[in-house]
Amino acid sequence: MGELRQQKSLEGGLSFARHERDPDDGAPLYDYRFRRLLPADDWAALPETVRRRFSKRLTGLRLAIYRGEIIASERTPAGWVFAQLCRVIGAPLPLSGDVGVAAVVTVGEDHRGGQCWTRHYARRHGFPQVIHSAKRFAGETGLEEHVGGGVGMTLNIAARPDGLTFHSADYFWQFGGHRWRLPAWLCPGALTIDHIDIGSGEFLFTLTLHHRWFGEIMHQVGRFRDPAPGEGDLS
């Protein structure tokens, strides 16, 4: 039922122009793509700061940059193994359990009509880990995340009182214009990402990975803040 509501919301919004004025404050560049994936009442109930973060139209050279730190990072031995195995597709899972280290998330427009997300995590030993992914507004649920080697996942999005939840629906591999859904035994597990607004221009970014056989194998929490005046989005 939730997927049906998301699909109807997506279909109902396709006639809107890509560049419209922000109904909240009249800003000239308002991105409707995340908003279309939620029922109107759910979007309206989100904190204003959350709506603004997910409605920035990052055209041209504009980037949204969020600075913060990793405040929690735990993994089981199985989680460590999966993170290492995923190095072959660009290491999309956190490799380090360090906490109290700097973290930066950069969001920009993808030339294929989505968004490029770059996560920069410092480590106490060695070079920082840099994770690249692209969010594409496509597929059965209207939202996908692509990492390296043609691997990606279909995402469901849901509103919560203090933010948004992204949950993996399935994983896939695509090559040469063809796509195959990956079997469950080949996948790292159900991935849940929460964006939680905590006020004062700050939010938590949490990653939880739950494997069908091993239970919760990874949990990471980053605390980030909106750009300060003068530091803001770069263009």
Side-chain angles (χ1 to χ4, degrees):
M1 181 64 69
E3 292 185 10
L4 180 60
R5 289 172 64 193
Q6 289 178 353
Q7 186 65 26
K8 288 183 177 179
S9 177
L10 177 64
E11 292 173 352
L14 290 179
S15 61
F16 291 159
R18 287 292 187 180
H19 299 270
E20 299 195 28
R21 300 188 72 81
D22 186 338
D24 295 323
D25 68 357
L29 293 177
Y30 184 89
D31 193 334
Y32 278 89
R33 292 176 295 183
F34 283 104
R35 179 178 181 174
R36 290 169 178 159
L37 300 176
L38 291 171
D41 290 344
D42 289 356
W43 177 266
L46 291 172
E48 180 183 359
T49 49
V50 175
R51 297 200 309 269
R52 289 183 183 278
R53 291 179 197 126
F54 286 90
S55 60
K56 293 180 179 180
R57 189 63 172 176
L58 301 169
T59 56
L61 301 179
R62 298 184 70 230
L63 298 173
I65 301 175
Y66 303 99
R67 295 170 173 84
E69 66 173 322
I70 300 301
I71 61 174
S73 187
E74 302 174 347
R75 74 209 61 236
T76 66
W80 181 88
V81 170
F82 275 108
Q84 301 305 314
L85 291 175
C86 287
R87 284 176 179 266
V88 299
I89 57 171
L93 296 175
L95 297 172
S96 170
D98 291 342
V99 297
V101 294
V104 179
V105 175
T106 303
V107 185
E109 192 70 7
D110 176 35
H111 71 281
R112 296 185 179 181
Q115 291 182 339
C116 288
W117 289 59
T118 302
R119 301 166 183 86
H120 183 285
Y121 298 143
R123 292 188 282 185
R124 299 197 184 283
H125 303 285
F127 291 108
Q129 180 183 4
V130 181
I131 300 174
H132 303 281
S133 67
K135 282 186 170 61
R136 305 269 168 76
F137 299 89
E140 295 180 358
T141 65
L143 185 62
E144 299 174 345
E145 184 135 9
H146 295 248
V147 292
V151 175
M153 59 182 170
T154 301
L155 294 172
N156 287 315
I157 181 173
R160 47 182 292 161
D162 52 3
L164 294 171
T165 294
F166 301 86
H167 187 77
S168 62
D170 59 55
Y171 295 83
F172 58 83
W173 179 63
Q174 60 182 31
F175 178 76
H178 299 281
R179 176 181 295 196
W180 297 268
R181 180 174 295 182
L182 296 178
W185 62 267
L186 196 57
C187 301
L191 182 68
T192 301
I193 301 292
D194 289 301
H195 178 102
I196 305 170
D197 190 81
I198 56 176
S200 301
E202 296 188 332
F203 62 92
L204 300 180
F205 175 89
T206 74
L207 177 152
T208 304
L209 187 60
H210 191 279
H211 194 271
R212 61 184 303 189
W213 297 327
F214 304 119
E216 184 176 305
I217 61 175
M218 187 174 295
H219 182 70
Q220 185 189 61
V221 182
R223 181 170 182 158
F224 297 90
R225 60 180 173 83
D226 291 324
E231 177 186 57
D233 302 337
L234 300 183
S235 59

